[in-house]
Amino acid sequence: AQSVTQPDIHITVSEGASLELRCNYSYGATPYLFWYVQSPGQGLQLLLKYFSGDTLVQGIKGFEAEFKRSQSSFNLRKPSVHWSDAAEYFCAVGDAQAGTALIFGKGTTLSVSS
Amino acid sequence: NAGVTQTPKFQVLKTGQSMTLQCAQDMNHEYMSWYRQDPGMGLRLIHYSVGAGITDQGEVPNGYNVSRSTTEDFPLRLLSAAPSQTSVYFCASSYRGSTDTQYFGPGTRLTVL
């Protein structure tokens, strides 16, 4: 069964600094990978997703993620963080096999300092 | 489109009571799922459905029941509420399943005393 690990529980970044959130997955075939963001008191919103093709994917709000098969990673990056990026970020992995579920990591909370 | 709607937004139950959390979507999605979110635990899958009449268990199904009689609705039933079920519950839907973008409802915050 697939699994997702987000090693960092909480990260604090200064406004304007770059950001990288880590995500490692365990899966036998080519996974379907997602990053979602949850603002306080809100539901989850998709940032970006990877299915195949170019390993660097662009998302909304200036985020990007790079798929590295050799490292089983799908890290999320942003060149310059804004205070409004403070939120909880979840990595998730899906399975192309019919009838299977989407599995989430435990999340990383991002705080932005001024 | 209303997207994914959940009712109620907040609920307080006493131990042993039963209740149903409602989830509906108007996007004609085949795949629907229920997650619970607890601090430090991320989102854990409770039950999911790949179409009307088809449901399956997720990671934490005990104490919960689901059915899918229509494409639009996917209610989650708590059979006999326990304090361990205090959580925020999210319903999600997608067109094709776990490989597709999930659309989440706003959540239901449940407290069991």
Side-chain angles (χ1 to χ4, degrees):
Chain A
Q2 66 266 35
S3 65
V4 179
T5 301
Q6 294 181 246
D8 304 306
I9 297 174
H10 189 194
I11 286 181
T12 299
V13 175
S14 299
E15 190 169 15
S18 63
L19 169 70
E20 183 169 27
L21 302 182
R22 296 183 291 165
C23 172
N24 295 100
Y25 66 90
S26 173
Y27 187 67
T30 299
Y32 287 67
L33 294 161
F34 305 83
W35 275 100
Y36 285 85
V37 61
Q38 184 182 32
S39 298
Q42 303 295 315
L44 278 77
Q45 179 185 21
L46 179 72
L47 280 176
L48 48 78
K49 57 187 176 184
Y50 172 79
F51 293 164
S52 64
D54 192 348
T55 57
L56 185 64
V57 293
Q58 302 297 320
I60 62 172
K61 304 183 181 185
F63 285 91
E64 66 178 27
E66 186 171 12
F67 171 64
K68 293 185 177 180
R69 184 189 301 275
S70 61
Q71 298 177 17
S72 296
S73 69
F74 188 57
N75 293 350
L76 182 71
R77 301 195 294 247
K78 187 170 185 178
S80 178
V81 169
H82 187 261
W83 64 266
S84 61
D85 293 324
E88 191 160 18
Y89 292 81
F90 293 94
C91 183
V93 60
D95 190 337
Q97 183 177 351
T100 57
L102 185 67
I103 303 300
F104 283 84
K106 293 186 176 182
T108 298
T109 300
L110 172 65
S111 298
V112 180
S113 61
S114 56
Chain B
N1 288 348
V4 179
T5 58
Q6 291 183 238
T7 56
K9 290 188 176 180
F10 301 94
Q11 183 70 49
V12 179
L13 292 178
K14 294 181 180 179
T15 296
Q17 288 184 315
S18 62
M19 79 159 295
T20 299
L21 306 184
Q22 301 292 343
C23 175
Q25 52 88 12
D26 60 359
M27 296 174 282
N28 201 31
H29 285 170
E30 290 296 322
Y31 182 88
M32 297 185 73
S33 55
W34 277 101
Y35 292 88
R36 60 176 289 173
Q37 183 177 26
D38 303 290
M41 301 297 292
L43 282 88
R44 292 183 291 170
L45 183 66
I46 305 172
H47 285 285
Y48 65 101
S49 170
V50 298
I54 306 170
T55 64
D56 205 348
Q57 296 181 354
E59 181 184 358
V60 288
N62 292 341
Y64 306 96
N65 198 9
V66 294
S67 61
R68 184 96 178 269
S69 56
T70 67
T71 299
E72 295 77 21
D73 301 298
F74 191 43
L76 178 71
R77 298 181 186 84
L78 278 70
L79 309 173
S80 177
S84 61
Q85 294 178 304
T86 294
S87 187
V88 180
Y89 292 84
F90 288 100
C91 178
S93 74
S94 71
Y95 184 63
R96 283 190 303 265
S98 66
T99 61
D100 212 354
T101 300
Q102 304 296 311
Y103 292 85
F104 283 84
T108 294
R109 184 173 293 275
L110 175 68
T111 301
V112 182
L113 303 176

